[in-house]
Amino acid sequence: MTVHTSDVVVLGGGSGGYATALRARELDLSVTLIERDRVGGTCLHRGCVPTKALLHTAEVADTVRHAAAAGVAASLEGVDGPAALAWRQKIVDGKFRGLTSLLAARGVQVVTGSGSLTRHDGVPAVRVGDDLYAGRHVVLATGASTRALPGVEFSARVLDAERALSRAEIPERAVVIGGGVIGVEFASAWRSLGTEVTIVEAQDTLIAGEEAASQSALAKAFTRRGIDLRLGARVAGVVDGDGGVVVSVEREGVGEDLSADVVLVAVGRAPSTAGLGFEEAGISLTRGFVDVDPELRTGAEGVWAVGDIVAGPQLAHRGFRHGIAVAERIAGRRTAPLDDALVPRVTYSSPEVASVGLTERAAIEIHGADAIASTEVSLAGNAKSEIVAAGSPARPGFAKVVRLAGGPVLGVHLVGERVGELITEGQLAVAWEAHPEDIAPLVHAHPTQSEALGEAFLALAGSPLHTM
Ligand code: NAD
């Protein structure tokens, strides 16, 4: 057994883990980063990055399809699945090379191998084969993996997001089980690429947890785009047979068989915390998630947890923030805990859905209906929104702002093409507890989609310009 020592040992090289490592090196701590696969993790290799590339291929197809609306004669001859796959892989490979170089340039020691948590000489350590990596601190960043449906095996036709992303062929008919973020993004992309798509969702709405107005706007837009929705539906069985896959669903006591050439299972992601020595090392888990204090310390001395293994929104940018904060705390800085409500959320479908802070319903539950005011500004009157949505069958979206009456902005909710880029302004407003009156005098460039947010702030401050 060879023992190696460093100030910080990070287990897992995804968004949370590599952010911890980079920030810890900036703060002059020695760092060993242990990764069993490739640094960058799910987000870079199997999640956020290739999915957004797939969605961009879909957007380009839609742009060509609707080109006549903007005065360009073009016709969509088809989508080259292998070329689209090669393109998204090229993007991933480039970002992977960049990250590998950055880690090397910062002096992070990257170890390839599968690690498990243990203790050595009174300090936490990670064992990788016959090597033991002991640190004053160990940061757990092992991420999450696809939840399977009980009794349903993955195959060449029963896919999770990773399998779906690595397929070159574009399905003719797809059933998407789960109308959360992953299900909605794939349904959107495949529909744009010509697939007949049905989403089966157990709850009565898509994108549970989002603002009710956003949920219904997305459902309407998807229906107009020809995506079939089976909401409030239970999956009774999935049969992967010779001629395709059949998903049996049950809704309000009525059964239905849906046939498809592929099925995407997108029913959530489970934290990767089993079999890694966590509990043996004194760490308690709740439903598989690591129990932490607000500063992300686990119950085991010197052991921290970041990212998707900590209960809360499973988002790469939350993992980055966790990693930065933990590295700073290890270096002796006082970094404030992250409030999950301040983490912006973007669903990159067509239309996009973006939000930060509280939904109107949550704000009312906390503060009471009389204490909450909100306004919703349609993008129908926004020139830039109409231009970028040229020819899209989806209706214009909106910008909705929720505030405490006489107080700060509590939540911002957006639906529309490319509105994800606007959420940063909402985040600043919510996180800085700005009052609409503070923001109303600020000028929004014309014509931009951000004017809709500006109008919402004006309206809540009592001085609407374009709305009643
Ligand atoms: P999710 O939890 O967002 O949605 C899963 C959905 O599946 C839920 O609506 C649930 O009701 C439904 N469901 C569960 N079991 C079902 C069943 N048997 N039949 C029908 N429906 C069922 O999970 P996800 O979409 O798999 O995403 C996983 C995580 O990854 C989420 O935390 C998500 O935020 C994150 N993610 C984020 C982005 C983004 O930010 N753009 C993109 C992809 C994934």
Side-chain angles (χ1 to χ4, degrees):
M1 173 83 54
T2 314
V3 180
H4 314 260
T5 54
S6 47
D7 293 326
V8 183
V9 177
V10 183
L11 180 57
S15 311
Y18 85 69
T20 311
L22 289 174
R23 185 72 183 120
R25 283 298 303 131
E26 270 179 1
L27 297 168
D28 270 339
L29 298 161
S30 57
V31 181
T32 304
L33 176 64
I34 297 164
E35 166 59 50
R36 66 179 172 195
D37 190 357
R38 284 169 294 173
V39 290
T42 301
C43 177
L44 175 55
H45 297 282
R46 301 174 290 277
C48 329
V49 175
T51 312
K52 266 73 260 180
L54 175 69
L55 281 155
H56 186 70
T57 298
E59 184 184 341
V60 172
D62 276 338
T63 304
V64 174
R65 198 174 274 127
H66 302 136
V72 176
S75 61
L76 185 63
E77 288 176 14
V79 177
D80 184 341
L85 173 62
W87 175 66
R88 53 184 185 265
Q89 193 55 47
K90 188 172 154 223
I91 291 174
V92 169
D93 291 345
K95 296 289 159 282
F96 172 58
R97 278 195 303 275
L99 176 60
T100 306
S101 310
L102 180 60
L103 287 164
R106 283 274 170 87
V108 174
Q109 197 209 340
V110 177
V111 171
T112 304
S114 210
S116 60
L117 186 63
T118 181
R119 286 198 89 81
H120 174 76
D121 269 353
V123 295
V126 174
R127 181 193 300 274
V128 181
D130 282 337
D131 291 289
L132 199 61
Y133 295 90
R136 281 195 298 118
H137 297 267
V138 167
V139 181
L140 306 175
T142 46
S145 61
T146 308
R147 259 185 224 282
L149 272 177
V152 179
E153 301 259 315
F154 289 111
S155 68
R157 286 187 298 216
V158 180
L159 313 171
D160 60 357
E162 179 180 353
R163 288 175 174 84
L165 279 170
S166 59
R167 261 176 67 103
E169 310 85 44
I170 293 149
E172 276 179 33
R173 281 179 306 165
V175 171
V176 173
I177 302 177
V181 188
I182 293 182
V184 157
E185 290 187 348
F186 272 91
S188 181
W190 278 339
R191 184 68 195 129
S192 298
L193 299 174
T195 308
E196 295 293 326
V197 183
T198 304
I199 300 179
V200 178
E201 165 56 51
Q203 302 190 51
D204 289 331
T205 173
L206 299 175
I207 49 170
E210 288 292 348
E211 171 66 32
S214 305
Q215 293 169 337
S216 66
L218 181 69
K220 279 187 196 140
F222 268 18
T223 303
R224 288 176 66 87
R225 291 188 56 205
I227 297 173
D228 282 332
L229 304 181
R230 299 287 187 278
L231 302 180
R234 201 181 67 81
V235 174
V238 176
V239 177
D240 186 2
D242 289 340
V245 198
V246 177
V247 180
S248 303
V249 299
E250 214 178 270
R251 198 160 52 133
E252 293 168 358
V254 181
E256 182 186 12
D257 284 346
L258 302 167
S259 313
D261 28 298
V262 297
V263 171
L264 176 73
V265 178
V267 295
R269 293 176 55 79
S272 303
T273 52
L276 299 173
F278 290 5
E279 284 172 292
E280 294 82 344
I283 289 171
S284 63
L285 306 177
T286 302
R287 289 178 297 107
F289 292 98
V290 175
D291 292 330
V292 289
D293 72 7
E295 296 195 312
L296 303 173
R297 274 182 209 86
T298 72
E301 185 161 359
V303 183
W304 309 70
V306 298
D308 287 359
I309 57 172
V310 177
Q314 292 172 311
L315 298 170
H317 42 285
R318 173 175 174 262
F320 292 143
R321 187 61 228 160
H322 276 179
I324 291 167
V326 163
E328 291 177 352
R329 287 172 196 138
I330 289 172
R333 300 204 177 181
R334 294 170 65 88
T335 301
L338 176 67
D339 176 355
D340 280 341
L342 300 183
V343 176
R345 305 169 289 263
V346 181
T347 303
Y348 298 85
S349 43
S350 170
E352 289 187 346
V353 179
S355 64
V356 65
L358 300 178
T359 62
E360 183 161 25
R361 186 182 302 153
I364 288 172
E365 273 167 19
I366 296 168
H367 300 282
D370 293 345
I372 296 301
S374 73
T375 194
E376 192 178 303
V377 173
S378 168
L379 295 181
N382 181 284
K384 190 64 190 283
S385 296
E386 192 174 345
I387 292 164
V388 298
S392 163
R395 289 202 176 283
F398 60 79
K400 176 168 180 168
V401 177
V402 180
R403 78 174 296 186
L404 196 61
V409 176
L410 299 175
V412 172
H413 305 276
L414 301 157
V415 178
E417 300 302 339
R418 304 186 195 172
V419 295
E421 299 291 340
L422 304 184
I423 201 59
T424 310
E425 179 175 357
Q427 181 200 12
L428 293 179
V430 175
W432 277 343
E433 298 178 8
H435 290 214
E437 291 78 4
D438 299 330
I439 311 171
L442 304 179
V443 175
H444 288 78
H446 175 76
T448 60
Q449 298 206 91
S450 72
E451 287 174 285
L453 263 181
E455 181 71 27
F457 293 131
L458 281 169
L460 281 175
S463 51
L465 185 65
H466 292 94
T467 50
M468 303 296 280

